[in-house]
Structure formats: C-alpha cells, structure tokens
Amino acid sequence: MTETSPCLVCDLGDADIIQQTDNVVAAYYTNAIKHGHFIVAVKRHVPTFGDITPDEAAELLSVAQQLVKKSETLNAVEKHYLVAIGDVDAHFHIHCIPKLVDDPKLGPHVMSPNGWRGTLPARKEESVAEFVSTMKSV
Ligand SMILES: [Zn+2]
C-alpha cells in the first residue's frame, strides 16, 4: 500500500488508529505536540485540499467534527484548533489540536493586532481586487 516510505498514513500502526471509514482515517498524531493531538487524513495519496473529492472532504470533516465533539466531552477539552499545512505528507490531512480550558490562546501567537505575525510581503490592493474578482467569476 505504501507508494512512498515512510508515509504518515500508510505506516500508521493499529494502536494509533482511532476510526476509519471508506475514505478517511483518524489517528493519534505520530509527532503530537500535546496530548490528544490527532489527525484525520484521506486514505488516497492526494496531498492538497484541492485534490480531494467533495465526498472525501465531507467525510473528512464529518469524522473530524464527530471526534472533536467526543474529545471535548470525554477529555474536558474547551475546543480544538484545526490546522492543515500539507508541505510534506502525501495524504491531505487536518490536525485536531486540543485546547484545554487553562491553555493560553493560540491566536495571539499567530496573529497580532496588526495582522499575521512574521514577515510577509506588503498587501497590494490591486492584487486583492484581482484575486477577489477572479474568485467571484468562477
Ligand atoms: Zn501513504
């Protein structure tokens, strides 16, 4: 089953798998940044959100929401942060990272009152207008 090895999803061990459906698998994340950090991934080797089918997207979000709700009830989790980066792995997946009641909020570490933290190119209004126009035209 493994086309590229090692593979985040193809190499999952049974002990880490939380739930499987026809198209997605949910598992405790191998390199969890905190307890309860799990992923929901498509089973096919399709790396980006744009590559997965609408059925896979619906199934992925449905399973993620179901497990997030369960974790929030069973583990006294306030909420989950959902993250999809996809720079490395062959399977599109989202990370579901729990935030406990006493955990600091993640937002201020990512966003500042003036926008995204870090160095980004200056916003060009004509580029924004072009992007929005293009997106609306489809
Ligand atoms: Zn794989």
Short mmCIF file of all heavy atoms in Angstrom, two decimals, residues 9 54 132:
data_model
loop_
_atom_site.label_atom_id
_atom_site.label_comp_id
_atom_site.label_asym_id
_atom_site.label_seq_id
_atom_site.Cartn_x
_atom_site.Cartn_y
_atom_site.Cartn_z
N VAL A 9 0.42 8.13 6.77
CA VAL A 9 -0.83 7.40 6.89
C VAL A 9 -0.65 5.90 6.60
O VAL A 9 -1.13 5.06 7.35
CB VAL A 9 -1.91 8.01 5.97
CG1 VAL A 9 -3.16 7.16 5.94
CG2 VAL A 9 -2.24 9.43 6.43
N PRO A 54 -15.15 15.96 -3.38
CA PRO A 54 -16.13 16.51 -2.44
C PRO A 54 -16.59 15.47 -1.42
O PRO A 54 -16.82 15.81 -0.24
CB PRO A 54 -17.29 16.96 -3.35
CG PRO A 54 -16.62 17.26 -4.65
CD PRO A 54 -15.52 16.23 -4.78
N VAL A 132 -10.03 38.70 -5.63
CA VAL A 132 -11.46 38.61 -5.30
C VAL A 132 -12.30 38.53 -6.56
O VAL A 132 -13.21 37.72 -6.68
CB VAL A 132 -11.89 39.80 -4.41
CG1 VAL A 132 -13.39 39.82 -4.23
CG2 VAL A 132 -11.19 39.72 -3.05
#
